[in-house]
Amino acid sequence: MKGYLDFPYVEQVFRLERITTRLDGTPLRGNRASHEVVFGTTSLRADQAGPARILELVRQHWTIENRVHYVRDRVFDEDRSRVRRRAAPQVMATLRNLAISILRKAGATNIASALRRCARHASLVLRLVGVRP
């Protein structure tokens, strides 16, 4: 059904229903389960991405989101950052992402542990960024 939405590059609109249940039985917002309906858009045509492919892409997106944002929130305590003026928040987020990326590329699976190690060994930091001490 082409032309149902007058927005550049939108080929499909989709509805995603999420029902989340806590496996340990503890309440989630007062209930054991939560129900959420969200809508999204994609530039992929129906022949390029059916329902299963769209679900796969959404799950991949959240895997990346959770992997990066969880580390930024928990390890760097980004939510409590006092940096708020002009471009500084974006610059700091970029520097945090860069640090995470460098450590992951170096094989780190625990970013907090890798940061502590880097804090103790300045020569390691230099080596990771390509500078030979």
Side-chain angles (χ1 to χ4, degrees), residues 79-94:
D79 288 344
R80 291 193 309 169
S81 173
R82 307 279 295 167
V83 178
R84 293 190 176 88
R85 301 198 77 174
R86 303 190 182 184
Q90 290 85 359
V91 170
M92 288 305 299
T94 300

Side-chain angles (χ1 to χ4, degrees), residues 3-6 10-11 21 50 53-55 65-66 71 73-74 87 94 98-101 113 118 127 131:
Y4 59 88
L5 185 62
D6 186 24
V10 172
E11 289 292 330
T21 305
R53 178 70 176 137
I54 288 175
L55 183 58
E65 283 285 312
N66 290 336
V71 171
D73 289 343
R74 299 298 291 205
T94 300
L98 178 63
I100 293 167
S101 297
S113 174
C118 287
R127 202 169 67 244
V131 176

Side-chain angles (χ1 to χ4, degrees), residues 68 71-72 76 96-104 111:
V68 172
V71 171
R72 282 175 37 189
F76 292 105
R96 291 179 190 112
N97 286 342
L98 178 63
I100 293 167
S101 297
I102 289 171
L103 292 172
R104 288 215 193 276
I111 300 300

